[in-house]
Structure formats: structure tokens, C-alpha cells
Amino acid sequence: MSRRGVGANRSPVTHHLTEEMQKKFHYTVGPYSEPVLSIEPGDRVIVDTRDAFEGKIQKETDIPSKILELPYLNPQNGPILVAGAEKGDVLAVHIEEMLPRGDDPHGICCMIPFFGGLSSTDYTASLHEPLPEIVRRIKVDRNHVYWSKKHTLAYKPHIGTLSVSPEIDSINALVPDNHGGNMDIPDIGPGSITYLPIRSPGARLFIGDAHACQGDGEVCGTAVEFSSTTTIRVDLIKNWKIEWPRMENETSVMGIGSARPLEDATRIAYRELIRWLVEDYQFDQWDAYMMLSQCGKVRLGNFVDPKYSVGAMLDKSYLSA
């Protein structure tokens, strides 16, 4: 699919979006913020992202509710304008590399009152008291996430929030929808290409919320949130009509849906995957529907955000059969 991009055959120019260049990080995704960078299709951008808490939580003795100011979470780099991008096109974001950033690379995972998959929230209300506030500060390097003396986890980084601007709305960076947003799909990491439907001139790409690792669902509400140096290559596919984000990597293709309840997010994801199979891989719609009932896979991005995100996947070995 990446060969369809306008910039596929040109030598990329490399840009570095530093914190100094970014200046102001954004907590909403929309068409009204001032662009920080303009690029050509096919260009490479090195992005210095902040963690989801913007570095405010530093110690395990910190109390999130006394430090964090809702809704100012999940700071986003951007927007990045892409030359020639118009409504009805698709932005292809290739994640090439994600590295821990800083002199003391670490990640933060914490429990925040009334947030998380097993907690009462504003959307899933109950009368119980908030769960305890606990902070874990975790050393991270390019190979491992040192969770505890007992457990070392694999370093499997991904971008939690990747978006293009909606046409007229400005949406909280914590909310996933058909513009992308805070999908928290663990597969959106190095080696992946995420396809986002463009609805605003220049596409206006936002990126942030790097995770050193994350389990399916992000059940406690946070992953290992870390500051990263993330390298992406951004291309433009003209006149490709899609409604929701899609993703591919070396082994799979995926449709992504975000909604509440969770089953509606799953329906959107599978419908988007079926549409992709029909349009680009010559599947019959009903045969794809029935076959996915046998070999489709579902990836749970999150079930803690204002909308839940699901990826419906098919192994690429079936595409050439």
C-alpha cells in the first residue's frame, strides 16, 4: 500500500521537531491551532514527544490527583501540515523508530482516581470510593522495561495518540474517533503504517502519547508512559476514500474502530477491514465476512478512554491466496 504514496519515490527531507520548536503542546486535535512544521509527502520527521503527564509525575511518592490538572493530559506535537493534502485523501504515517529520550530514560504508570477499566468513572458510575493512587517509576532502555526486581518486560514501543484534524471540530486529545486520536493500539509502533482519512486542508498531523509497552486494553488506565524520540515518514495517498483509520505491518492488515459500547467499536473495525479486503484485495464482501468469522483477530486498544478502540486484523498470508 505504501507504494501508492505521492512521495514514495522521492528522497525524503528529514525534519526534527524539537520541544523548542514545538513550544506549545496541544490537548485538543482540530483545525484551529497554529502549524509548527510544513513538509512534503515522503518527508521524514523526528519528533521529540513528552509523556502523557508532560513530565509532571517524577517520583513514586507523587500523588497524581494533586499534580495533574484535568483535562490537560496527553500533550500532542503538531500540527504538521503536509503539502497537497486535501479532504478525501489519506495520510500514511510510517513509524520507523521509537527511542527513549532524556538522560535518565524512564516511564511512569499510575492509578488515577475514577479512571481505569476496573474503576468507577463518569461514564460507568457507581457509589464506590476511588481506587488507591499508586505511581510506578520504571527504568526503560532500548530493549527492556524494568518493571520490578521480579519482572522485566520487553520494550515494545508504540504511539498511543495519532491524529489528523477533523473538518470543523476540535476534539480532546484523550478521545479516539474516526480522525484517529487516542486509540492506544499496541501495533502502531515501529514497522507499522497507519492510514488516516484526511478531512482538513494540509491534513494537520498530531502525534504524542508514546508508550514503552502496553497490554491489551490498558486496563489500569495508563501504559508505561515515556518521553520518546519517534521517527516517522509521512506520505500522502490521493483520492483514497476511507472512513476510519487503518493499519498495516509486516504480517497483518487492520481496521480500527472507536466507540462505546465496546461491541460497536468492534463492529466498526471489522466493517472497515471488510471494506479494505473488497476494495483492494478483490474479496467478495460476504465471503470476507464469513471467512473473518474463522480467522479474524481482534486487538483491544483501550477500554478506559471516553471511547473504546478495537483493531480487527487479518494475517497477510490470506491476501495473496
Side-chain angles (χ1 to χ4, degrees):
M1 298 300 296
S2 62
R3 290 193 296 270
R4 292 169 55 174
V6 172
N9 297 318
R10 62 180 292 268
S11 298
V13 173
T14 298
H15 311 263
H16 191 176
L17 182 52
T18 63
E19 286 204 28
E20 292 74 22
M21 186 176 177
Q22 178 66 45
K23 294 181 182 177
K24 178 183 178 182
F25 286 77
H26 299 286
Y27 303 97
T28 61
V29 172
Y32 308 113
S33 47
E34 190 70 26
V36 295
L37 183 65
S38 295
I39 66 173
E40 295 290 328
D43 280 358
R44 178 174 289 114
V45 186
I46 301 168
V47 186
D48 291 341
T49 72
R50 290 180 175 175
D51 71 37
F53 313 117
E54 209 160 349
K56 294 178 180 177
I57 297 178
Q58 285 293 320
K59 308 184 299 297
E60 293 194 343
T61 54
D62 287 341
I63 300 174
S65 64
K66 293 185 177 181
I67 294 173
L68 302 177
E69 184 182 357
L70 295 171
Y72 298 101
L73 297 175
N74 206 21
Q76 298 296 296
N77 294 77
I80 299 169
L81 291 184
V82 181
E86 302 173 295
K87 183 178 179 180
D89 299 335
V90 165
L91 201 68
V93 182
H94 310 231
I95 299 179
E96 296 183 335
E97 185 178 58
M98 294 182 66
L99 301 175
R101 187 164 68 89
D103 297 330
D104 178 26
H106 67 276
I108 296 291
C109 178
C110 64
M111 291 169 57
I112 298 171
F114 300 114
F115 184 63
L118 301 181
S119 172
S120 175
T121 71
D122 288 343
Y123 295 95
T124 307
S126 74
L127 295 176
H128 77 57
E129 295 298 313
L131 302 183
E133 295 189 64
I134 301 173
V135 173
R136 297 292 292 268
R137 190 182 192 275
I138 308 117
K139 180 183 175 183
V140 173
D141 63 27
R142 299 184 183 194
N143 298 301
H144 298 105
V145 174
Y146 299 92
W147 180 260
S148 66
K149 292 181 180 179
K150 185 177 181 180
H151 297 294
T152 298
L153 310 179
Y155 178 66
K156 293 184 177 180
H158 71 276
I159 288 294
T161 306
L162 188 65
S163 319
V164 290
S165 173
E167 189 168 9
I168 62 171
D169 295 323
S170 188
I171 298 178
N172 190 307
L174 290 170
V175 178
D177 207 295
N178 59 14
H179 67 291
N182 192 25
M183 299 175 286
D184 292 319
I185 299 287
D187 304 88
I188 301 180
S192 70
I193 307 172
T194 301
Y195 301 104
L196 299 167
I198 296 171
R199 297 185 173 92
S200 182
R204 301 177 62 86
L205 174 66
F206 294 81
I207 181 172
D209 189 27
H211 297 169
C213 62
Q214 180 203 298
D216 282 12
E218 198 179 17
V219 63
C220 85
T222 60
V224 177
E225 314 283 345
F226 79 126
S227 297
S228 79
T229 298
T230 294
T231 302
I232 58 176
R233 190 170 179 187
V234 182
D235 211 342
L236 176 65
I237 302 175
K238 299 294 291 183
N239 301 312
W240 185 24
K241 183 67 173 177
I242 66 175
E243 295 296 327
W244 286 82
R246 299 176 180 180
M247 190 282 304
E248 70 169 306
N249 56 27
E250 186 177 354
T251 61
S252 304
V253 291
M254 174 189 287
I256 300 172
S258 298
R260 283 198 184 204
L262 185 61
E263 54 264 35
D264 282 350
T266 308
R267 290 184 178 105
I268 292 168
Y270 264 122
R271 184 191 64 182
E272 196 67 20
L273 178 59
I274 289 170
R275 286 176 172 176
W276 197 358
L277 297 178
V278 170
E279 293 161 4
D280 289 334
Y281 298 103
Q282 293 75 55
F283 276 70
D284 172 79
Q285 175 175 262
W286 304 124
D287 187 57
Y289 181 40
M290 295 171 69
M291 192 180 89
L292 286 172
S293 190
Q294 323 313 320
C295 59
K297 297 179 180 180
V298 167
R299 196 71 192 262
L300 178 57
N302 85 80
F303 72 117
V304 297
D305 293 332
K307 293 184 179 181
Y308 303 151
S309 293
V310 168
M313 306 173 67
L314 180 67
D315 192 283
K316 281 186 171 179
S317 63
Y318 295 105
L319 301 182
S320 58

